[in-house]
Amino acid sequence: MTATVIDGKAFAARVRGLVGEGVAKLKEEQGITPGLAVVLVGEDPASQVYVRSKGKMTVEVGMASFEHKLDVDTSEADLLAVIAQLNNDPAVHGILVQLPLPDHLDSDLVINSIDPAKDVDGFHISNVGLLGTGQKSMVPCTPLGSLMMLRDHHGSLSGMNAVVIGRSNIVGKPMAQLLLGDSCTVTIAHSRTKDLPDVVRQADIVVAAVGRAQMVTGDWIKPGATVIDVGINRIEKPEGGTRLVGDCDYDSCAAVAGAITPVPGGVGPMTIACLLANTLTACCRANGLAEPEGLTA
């Protein structure tokens, strides 16, 4: 068996296309332009790349992009003041504070200072609680993108056995909640799970989000299962230099699975696409308008 490759790059382009259509419709029919504000503290190279990419794609789909770049030694009070300003700005429908923050800043305090309705990362404690109780929320982007790809590949997920490897607040826990919402039977596994390979072998759906390069191998995978690899790990190449790999050993897993996301080019592109989708959704909700179909959980 050779797995079907779930092309996240192509899927993300489709999602951005739908977002662009929704933005154009809002502008034409309502005179409203969705706005996304990104706050970057410091000069972390990876964060700078992400912020540039987000800003570029925000403009490409027709949204207003607001970037706030703050010095690495910005005080907590000054950062909270910027967020308060954005909370009160009607032109801003989505607010994203780029993580990680410098060590002197309390990430939880900062994230929870964002208006939950504008929390397009879905990390605010109110959105976490709403998602966990099956209510309307802002949904974290990476799990949302993973769910979209699973729905697209399978149609209904009802009754499927899903194993999520990883229990982070950013991916593992919200992913499990989303799968429960689609009527899967869900197990959250992690580094201390006994007989982890045996647990994973029971799964029709495997979501690997543990942060360990190539940990999941093909002999862990049930024949025909769908594998969503959330991991992004940089490893050394034998000939020198580095390359990106996921939490799954791609070749051995692809030989057994029914479908699999590659790294790079799988879940990664969906994260920014879902950030844009969440901003459009937040804008529609803020203005009492119908949400765009197919762009949220």
Side-chain angles (χ1 to χ4, degrees):
M1 178 182 294
T2 301
T4 298
V5 178
I6 300 176
D7 187 341
K9 192 172 181 181
F11 196 98
R14 284 164 49 195
V15 171
R16 292 196 305 274
L18 291 173
V19 171
E21 291 172 8
V23 171
K25 184 177 178 182
L26 271 181
K27 289 180 175 179
E28 180 182 350
E29 296 181 2
Q30 306 293 336
I32 299 169
T33 300
L36 173 62
V38 178
V39 180
L40 174 64
V41 184
E43 298 180 352
D44 178 77
S47 292
Q48 288 181 320
V49 170
Y50 290 143
V51 167
R52 280 198 299 272
S53 180
K54 288 167 183 172
K56 180 173 178 285
M57 292 187 185
T58 300
V59 173
E60 285 178 354
V61 297
M63 293 182 180
S65 176
F66 308 97
E67 291 187 4
H68 295 263
K69 296 182 178 179
L70 308 178
D71 292 339
V72 68
D73 58 355
T74 296
S75 71
E76 203 163 75
D78 286 345
L79 175 55
L80 294 176
V82 170
I83 294 172
Q85 175 191 340
L86 297 174
N87 283 341
N88 293 316
D89 187 344
V92 174
H93 302 95
I95 302 169
L96 179 147
V97 177
Q98 183 65 44
L99 301 176
L101 290 171
D103 290 341
H104 69 283
L105 299 172
D106 183 338
S107 297
D108 289 337
L109 175 66
V110 171
I111 295 303
N112 288 325
S113 71
I114 299 172
D115 179 348
K118 296 186 178 187
D119 167 38
V120 286
D121 255 342
F123 295 161
H124 191 288
I125 190 65
S126 293
N127 283 317
V128 172
L130 290 167
L131 177 62
T133 52
Q135 300 179 67
K136 184 181 290 186
S137 67
M138 298 307 302
V139 179
C141 301
T142 299
L144 177 58
S146 300
L147 180 72
M148 285 182 178
M149 290 191 289
L150 285 167
R151 286 174 171 173
D152 182 71
H153 181 72
H154 285 287
S156 172
L157 306 181
S158 179
M160 298 183 78
N161 189 6
V163 172
V164 179
I165 312 173
R167 50 182 167 176
S168 74
N169 293 330
I170 293 174
V171 180
K173 291 175 185 175
M175 188 76 245
Q177 297 289 355
L178 290 173
L179 290 166
L180 282 171
D182 269 31
S183 299
C184 290
T185 300
V186 181
T187 300
I188 301 179
H190 46 80
S191 59
R192 299 196 180 184
T193 299
K194 291 184 178 179
D195 302 320
L196 179 58
D198 286 339
V199 172
V200 177
R201 285 187 198 106
Q202 307 305 310
D204 304 307
I205 295 168
V206 178
V207 180
V210 72
R212 290 180 56 186
Q214 300 174 317
M215 184 182 85
V216 180
T217 54
D219 60 343
W220 293 27
I221 303 300
K222 175 182 176 180
T226 299
V227 178
I228 304 293
D229 191 347
V230 180
I232 301 177
N233 310 283
R234 192 171 292 279
I235 64 169
E236 301 290 330
K237 294 192 291 187
E239 65 272 22
T242 62
R243 67 185 179 101
L244 291 178
V245 299
D247 289 350
C248 299
D249 179 66
Y250 183 83
D251 290 341
S252 65
C253 289
V256 181
I260 191 170
T261 59
V263 177
V267 175
M270 285 297 293
T271 298
I272 294 180
C274 288
L275 174 68
L276 301 174
N278 277 351
T279 303
L280 176 59
T281 297
C283 180
C284 290
R285 290 177 182 174
N287 289 280
L289 301 170
E291 296 177 18
E293 291 186 11
L295 293 180
T296 189

